[in-house]
């Protein structure tokens, strides 16, 4: 049998499809209406201006590894919108907060936390100075993995 001839047009179409697939995980920037702060380190991470080790991303949520892990698994889940802290959440954020909390167990397992009850994970949200908050963009620490941990 004669080998099938590859048409140039088919090749171009194939390349375009591959290109789109490869780009499907490229950061989707916050909606133009979403509040962001150009001086905020986590807003810069969401915008790709500061590199991070991404764990998850969708239209309104971003998750990435903590640069200073306390535990074998330690990542942060943040809303893309610049919400200062848990002291600043409003009823309009109800669904977003629910989605973040539903995501945490799934991502914890994906990142190597062992299943409940032997394994498990810890979710921490520091709020304000006395709450130990250093970065003022709402974030949920998710920590897990075999103990001992460095902290927490
Ligand atoms: P908190 O004390 O709850 O505000 O925690 C802020 C967390 O952000 C700390 O655990 C830091 O290690 C982490 N952090 C700060 N800068 C970065 C960064 N560029 N990439 C990843 N994690 C970061
Ligand atoms: Zn921010």
């Amino acid at each position: 049998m004669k080998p099938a001839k590859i048409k140039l047009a088919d090749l171009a179409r194939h390349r375009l499809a591959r290109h789109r697939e490869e780009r499907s995980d490229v950061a989707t920037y916050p909606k133009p209406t979403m509040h962001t702060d150009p001086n905020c380190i986590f807003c810069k991470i969401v915008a790709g201006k500061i590199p991070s080790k991404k764990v998850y991303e969708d239209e309104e949520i971003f998750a990435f590894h903590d640069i200073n892990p306390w535990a074998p698994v330690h990542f942060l889940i943040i809303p893309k919108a610049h919400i200062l802290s848990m002291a600043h959440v409003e009823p309009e954020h109800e669904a977003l907060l629910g989605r973040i909390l539903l995501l945490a167990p799934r991502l914890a397992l994906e990142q190597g936390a062992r299943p409940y009850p032997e394994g498990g994970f810890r979710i921490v949200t520091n709020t304000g100075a006395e709450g130990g908050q250093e970065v003022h963009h709402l974030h949920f620490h998710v920590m897990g993995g075999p103990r001992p941990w460095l902290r927490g």
Side-chain angles (χ1 to χ4, degrees):
M1 208 167 74
K2 244 169 94 183
K5 250 191 181 169
I6 301 169
K7 285 193 204 137
L8 272 180
D10 287 342
L11 199 62
R13 251 197 302 278
H14 176 73
R15 287 220 174 110
L16 187 66
R18 281 289 305 277
H19 177 71
R20 285 196 180 127
E21 261 170 41
E22 280 161 12
R23 292 196 62 90
S24 66
D25 67 345
V26 164
T28 49
Y29 290 100
K31 287 182 189 150
T33 51
M34 212 180 257
H35 178 57
T36 61
D37 176 348
N39 299 314
C40 165
I41 184 167
F42 285 178
C43 284
K44 286 183 189 168
I45 284 178
V46 170
K49 289 179 182 151
I50 292 180
S52 70
K53 280 170 71 187
K54 183 163 92 177
V55 164
Y56 174 85
E57 177 172 22
D58 66 31
E59 221 178 55
E60 49 180 11
I61 296 171
F62 197 85
F64 54 102
H65 289 280
D66 195 292
I67 207 164
N68 254 320
W70 308 350
V73 173
H74 186 174
F75 60 90
L76 305 172
I77 309 181
I78 69 172
K80 286 186 171 177
H82 182 76
I83 301 167
L84 285 174
S85 79
M86 275 307 287
H88 297 80
V89 295
E90 303 281 352
E92 67 184 90
H93 301 127
E94 189 175 340
L96 171 67
L97 294 171
R99 291 194 57 232
I100 289 175
L101 287 179
L102 276 175
L103 201 56
R106 193 191 105 194
L107 296 183
L109 286 178
E110 280 177 19
Q111 292 305 312
R114 291 174 306 143
Y116 175 96
E118 294 81 12
F121 51 85
R122 191 162 181 192
I123 302 176
V124 173
T125 301
N126 300 322
T127 306
E130 291 181 349
Q133 185 177 7
E134 283 173 9
V135 176
H136 293 264
H137 178 131
L138 177 62
H139 53 280
F140 295 77
H141 295 259
V142 182
M143 290 160 279
R147 286 181 178 267
W149 296 355
L150 218 56
R151 278 167 74 189

